[in-house]
Amino acid sequence: MDAMSSRISENLRQIRKEKKLSLDSMAEQTGVSKSMLGQIERGESSPTVATLWKIATGLHISFTALLEGRQTETQLIRRGEVSPLLSDEGRFRLFPFFPYDAERRFEMLSIELEPGTRSESVPHEDGTEEFVLVFEGALRLTVDGVEYVVEAGEGIRYLANKPHIYECHGTQKTKICMVIYYEK
């Protein structure tokens, strides 16, 4: 088991215990099967980004609450130290650089999308906002059925409590930085 899978396993188990949930009740809240949740907790399965979002949304926690480790007062994070979460056969890579902090109520992610990549995100809690800066390529973002194309050097902010889809727009890799702000 790699370091990221181990951390997810430990965090999910700890969160379930803190919330005093059985695997059955956690499955009911998240829409993820009891067997899959058990496999994740035991480190027998590496969940997809979509599965982690379903768990986080169902448990009313931040995405990176499942990924975070201990934090210190000053923290230098090198790219090689951040294990990406992969989906779409590795063409969508999410690097959780700054996990959720309850005092600040945000998390910061670096995301890379190869041409042809599409990632659908379930609606988050009411009041959740996403702030996206595009550094390379172009991002096609669809929020509640409305499509936006955000080019390199541009940014977009939107309420994330509606369905939203990220797509690489064009033939060049898209690199973005995303800040997710949680109102509650």
Side-chain angles (χ1 to χ4, degrees):
M1 172 171 25
D2 66 24
M4 180 62 72
S5 294
S6 177
R7 192 172 313 133
I8 291 168
S9 170
E10 292 170 21
N11 288 344
L12 182 58
R13 189 171 33 258
Q14 183 64 34
I15 290 165
R16 184 170 64 82
K17 287 179 183 177
E18 288 171 3
K19 291 183 172 279
K20 297 180 171 88
L21 296 172
S22 66
L23 279 175
D24 283 323
S25 58
M26 189 163 58
E28 191 174 303
Q29 283 186 10
T30 63
V32 176
S33 73
K34 175 183 172 181
S35 63
M36 174 57 74
L37 291 168
Q39 289 173 4
I40 295 168
E41 278 196 9
R42 292 187 303 274
E44 297 170 357
S45 176
S46 295
T48 64
V49 171
T51 299
L52 289 174
W53 273 116
K54 284 177 76 171
I55 293 170
T57 301
L59 294 177
H60 308 289
I61 60 173
S62 72
F63 179 76
T64 55
L66 296 166
L67 312 174
E68 64 189 4
R70 289 188 194 164
Q71 294 185 6
T72 59
E73 196 171 298
T74 301
Q75 189 176 17
L76 172 62
I77 302 161
R78 301 193 187 280
R79 183 175 177 88
E81 298 170 350
V82 180
S83 299
L85 295 166
L86 308 174
S87 64
D88 197 9
E89 299 176 355
R91 298 181 318 153
F92 179 92
R93 296 176 294 281
L94 184 149
F95 298 85
F97 270 84
F98 295 100
Y100 177 75
D101 179 313
E103 291 180 24
R104 294 180 185 94
R105 299 193 325 249
F106 76 88
E107 57 194 333
M108 185 179 292
L109 314 168
S110 173
I111 301 173
E112 297 177 356
L113 301 94
E114 295 295 333
T117 301
R118 175 185 169 97
S119 179
E120 296 187 31
S121 185
V122 297
H124 307 314
E125 295 287 317
D126 285 343
T128 303
E129 292 182 82
E130 293 187 1
F131 300 78
V132 176
L133 291 174
V134 178
F135 291 106
E136 186 177 305
L139 176 71
R140 178 183 297 128
L141 174 69
T142 305
V143 180
D144 203 24
V146 179
E147 185 177 294
Y148 305 88
V149 174
V150 188
E151 303 282 342
E154 298 177 341
I156 187 168
R157 176 191 60 82
Y158 51 95
L159 291 176
N161 63 342
K162 298 169 175 50
H164 44 290
I165 303 167
Y166 314 99
E167 298 176 87
C168 180
H169 183 71
T171 58
Q172 180 182 355
K173 178 183 356 183
T174 300
K175 290 184 177 183
I176 66 173
C177 176
M178 177 184 294
V179 174
I180 304 173
Y181 171 77
Y182 299 89
E183 183 177 70
K184 298 175 188 176

Coordinates of all heavy atoms in Angstrom, one line a residue, residues 144-179:
D144 N -23.7 23.6 -13.5 CA -25.2 23.5 -13.6 C -25.7 23.7 -15.0 O -26.6 24.5 -15.2 CB -25.8 24.6 -12.6 CG -27.2 24.2 -12.2 OD1 -27.6 23.0 -12.3 OD2 -28.0 25.1 -11.9
G145 N -25.0 23.1 -15.9 CA -25.4 23.2 -17.3 C -24.9 24.3 -18.2 O -25.1 24.4 -19.4
V146 N -24.2 25.3 -17.5 CA -23.7 26.5 -18.2 C -22.2 26.3 -18.4 O -21.5 26.0 -17.5 CB -24.0 27.8 -17.4 CG1 -23.4 29.0 -18.2 CG2 -25.5 28.0 -17.2
E147 N -21.8 26.4 -19.7 CA -20.4 26.2 -20.0 C -19.5 27.4 -20.1 O -20.0 28.5 -20.6 CB -20.3 25.5 -21.4 CG -18.9 25.0 -21.8 CD -19.0 24.3 -23.1 OE1 -19.6 23.2 -23.2 OE2 -18.4 24.8 -24.1
Y148 N -18.3 27.3 -19.5 CA -17.4 28.4 -19.5 C -16.0 27.9 -20.0 O -15.6 26.8 -19.7 CB -17.1 29.0 -18.1 CG -18.4 29.4 -17.4 CD1 -19.1 28.5 -16.7 CD2 -18.8 30.8 -17.5 CE1 -20.3 28.9 -16.0 CE2 -20.0 31.2 -16.9 CZ -20.7 30.3 -16.1 OH -21.9 30.6 -15.5
V149 N -15.3 28.7 -20.8 CA -13.9 28.3 -21.2 C -13.0 29.3 -20.6 O -13.2 30.5 -20.8 CB -13.8 28.3 -22.8 CG1 -12.3 28.1 -23.1 CG2 -14.7 27.2 -23.4
V150 N -12.1 28.8 -19.8 CA -11.2 29.6 -19.0 C -9.8 29.4 -19.6 O -9.3 28.3 -19.5 CB -11.2 29.3 -17.5 CG1 -10.4 30.3 -16.7 CG2 -12.7 29.3 -17.0
E151 N -9.2 30.4 -20.1 CA -7.8 30.3 -20.7 C -6.7 30.5 -19.7 O -6.9 31.0 -18.6 CB -7.7 31.4 -21.9 CG -8.8 31.3 -22.9 CD -8.6 30.2 -24.0 OE1 -7.4 29.7 -24.1 OE2 -9.6 29.9 -24.6
A152 N -5.5 30.2 -20.1 CA -4.3 30.4 -19.3 C -4.3 31.9 -18.9 O -4.5 32.7 -19.8 CB -3.0 30.0 -20.0
G153 N -4.0 32.1 -17.6 CA -3.9 33.5 -17.2 C -5.3 34.0 -16.7 O -5.3 35.2 -16.2
E154 N -6.3 33.2 -16.8 CA -7.6 33.7 -16.3 C -8.1 32.8 -15.1 O -7.5 31.8 -14.9 CB -8.7 33.5 -17.5 CG -8.4 34.3 -18.7 CD -9.3 34.1 -19.8 OE1 -10.0 33.1 -19.9 OE2 -9.4 35.0 -20.7
G155 N -9.1 33.3 -14.4 CA -9.6 32.6 -13.3 C -11.1 32.6 -13.3 O -11.8 33.4 -14.0
I156 N -11.7 31.8 -12.5 CA -13.2 31.7 -12.4 C -13.5 31.3 -10.9 O -12.8 30.5 -10.3 CB -13.8 30.8 -13.4 CG1 -15.3 30.8 -13.4 CG2 -13.3 29.3 -13.2 CD1 -16.0 30.2 -14.6
R157 N -14.6 31.9 -10.4 CA -15.1 31.5 -9.1 C -16.6 31.1 -9.3 O -17.3 31.8 -10.0 CB -15.0 32.8 -8.2 CG -15.7 32.5 -6.8 CD -15.8 33.8 -6.0 NE -16.6 34.8 -6.6 CZ -18.0 34.8 -6.6 NH1 -18.6 33.9 -5.9 NH2 -18.6 35.8 -7.2
Y158 N -17.0 30.1 -8.6 CA -18.4 29.7 -8.7 C -18.9 28.9 -7.5 O -18.0 28.4 -6.7 CB -18.6 28.8 -9.9 CG -17.6 27.6 -10.0 CD1 -17.9 26.4 -9.5 CD2 -16.3 27.8 -10.6 CE1 -17.0 25.3 -9.6 CE2 -15.4 26.8 -10.6 CZ -15.7 25.6 -10.1 OH -14.8 24.6 -10.1
L159 N -20.2 28.9 -7.3 CA -20.7 28.1 -6.2 C -20.7 26.7 -6.6 O -21.1 26.3 -7.7 CB -22.2 28.5 -5.9 CG -22.3 29.9 -5.3 CD1 -23.8 30.3 -5.1 CD2 -21.6 30.0 -3.9
A160 N -20.2 25.8 -5.7 CA -19.9 24.4 -6.1 C -21.0 23.5 -5.6 O -20.8 22.3 -5.5 CB -18.6 24.0 -5.6
N161 N -22.2 24.0 -5.2 CA -23.3 23.2 -4.7 C -24.2 22.8 -5.8 O -25.3 22.4 -5.6 CB -24.1 24.0 -3.6 CG -24.7 25.2 -4.1 OD1 -24.4 25.8 -5.2 ND2 -25.7 25.7 -3.4
K162 N -23.7 22.9 -7.0 CA -24.4 22.4 -8.2 C -23.5 21.4 -9.0 O -22.2 21.5 -8.8 CB -24.7 23.6 -9.1 CG -25.6 24.6 -8.5 CD -25.7 25.9 -9.3 CE -26.7 26.9 -8.8 NZ -26.6 27.2 -7.4
P163 N -24.0 20.6 -9.8 CA -23.1 19.7 -10.6 C -22.1 20.5 -11.4 O -22.5 21.5 -11.9 CB -24.1 18.9 -11.5 CG -25.4 19.1 -10.9 CD -25.4 20.4 -10.1
H164 N -20.9 20.1 -11.4 CA -19.9 20.8 -12.2 C -18.9 19.8 -12.9 O -18.6 18.7 -12.3 CB -19.2 21.9 -11.5 CG -18.7 21.5 -10.1 ND1 -19.6 21.3 -9.0 CD2 -17.5 21.3 -9.6 CE1 -18.9 21.0 -7.9 NE2 -17.6 21.0 -8.2
I165 N -18.5 20.1 -14.1 CA -17.6 19.2 -14.9 C -16.4 20.0 -15.3 O -16.5 21.1 -15.8 CB -18.4 18.7 -16.1 CG1 -19.7 18.0 -15.7 CG2 -17.5 17.8 -17.0 CD1 -20.7 17.7 -16.8
Y166 N -15.2 19.4 -15.2 CA -14.0 19.9 -15.6 C -13.5 19.2 -16.9 O -13.5 17.9 -16.9 CB -12.9 19.8 -14.6 CG -13.3 20.2 -13.2 CD1 -13.7 19.2 -12.3 CD2 -13.3 21.5 -12.8 CE1 -14.1 19.5 -11.0 CE2 -13.7 21.8 -11.5 CZ -14.1 20.8 -10.6 OH -14.5 21.2 -9.4
E167 N -13.1 19.9 -17.9 CA -12.6 19.2 -19.1 C -11.4 20.0 -19.6 O -11.4 21.2 -19.6 CB -13.7 19.2 -20.2 CG -14.9 18.4 -19.8 CD -16.0 18.5 -20.9 OE1 -15.9 17.7 -21.9 OE2 -16.8 19.4 -20.8
C168 N -10.4 19.3 -20.2 CA -9.3 19.9 -20.9 C -9.9 20.4 -22.2 O -10.5 19.6 -22.9 CB -8.2 18.9 -21.1 SG -6.8 19.6 -22.0
H169 N -9.7 21.7 -22.5 CA -10.2 22.3 -23.7 C -9.1 22.5 -24.6 O -8.1 23.2 -24.4 CB -10.9 23.6 -23.3 CG -11.5 24.3 -24.5 ND1 -12.6 23.8 -25.1 CD2 -11.1 25.4 -25.2 CE1 -12.9 24.6 -26.1 NE2 -12.0 25.6 -26.2
G170 N -9.1 21.8 -25.7 CA -8.0 21.9 -26.7 C -7.1 20.7 -26.7 O -7.4 19.7 -26.2
T171 N -5.9 20.9 -27.4 CA -5.0 19.8 -27.6 C -3.8 19.9 -26.6 O -2.9 19.1 -26.7 CB -4.5 19.8 -29.0 OG1 -3.9 21.1 -29.3 CG2 -5.6 19.6 -30.0
Q172 N -3.7 20.9 -25.8 CA -2.6 21.1 -24.8 C -3.1 20.7 -23.4 O -4.2 20.9 -23.0 CB -2.2 22.6 -24.9 CG -1.1 22.9 -23.9 CD -0.7 24.4 -24.0 OE1 -1.3 25.2 -24.7 NE2 0.2 24.8 -23.1
K173 N -2.2 20.2 -22.6 CA -2.5 19.8 -21.2 C -2.9 21.1 -20.5 O -2.4 22.2 -20.7 CB -1.2 19.3 -20.6 CG -1.4 19.0 -19.1 CD -0.2 18.5 -18.3 CE 1.0 18.2 -19.0 NZ 2.1 17.7 -18.2
T174 N -3.9 20.9 -19.6 CA -4.4 22.0 -18.8 C -3.9 21.9 -17.4 O -4.0 20.8 -16.8 CB -6.0 22.0 -18.8 OG1 -6.4 22.2 -20.1 CG2 -6.5 23.2 -17.9
K175 N -3.3 22.9 -16.8 CA -2.9 23.0 -15.4 C -3.6 24.1 -14.7 O -3.6 25.2 -15.1 CB -1.4 23.2 -15.3 CG -0.5 22.1 -15.8 CD 1.0 22.4 -15.6 CE 1.8 21.2 -16.1 NZ 3.3 21.5 -15.8
I176 N -4.2 23.7 -13.5 CA -5.0 24.7 -12.8 C -4.6 24.6 -11.3 O -4.1 23.6 -10.8 CB -6.5 24.5 -12.9 CG1 -7.0 23.2 -12.3 CG2 -6.9 24.6 -14.4 CD1 -8.5 23.0 -12.3
C177 N -4.9 25.6 -10.6 CA -4.8 25.7 -9.1 C -6.2 25.9 -8.7 O -6.9 26.8 -9.2 CB -3.9 26.8 -8.7 SG -3.8 26.9 -6.9
M178 N -6.7 25.2 -7.7 CA -8.1 25.3 -7.2 C -8.0 25.5 -5.7 O -7.4 24.8 -5.0 CB -8.9 24.1 -7.6 CG -10.3 24.1 -7.0 SD -11.2 22.6 -7.3 CE -11.3 22.6 -9.1
V179 N -8.8 26.5 -5.3 CA -9.0 26.7 -3.8 C -10.5 26.4 -3.6 O -11.3 26.9 -4.3 CB -8.7 28.1 -3.4 CG1 -9.1 28.4 -1.9 CG2 -7.2 28.4 -3.6

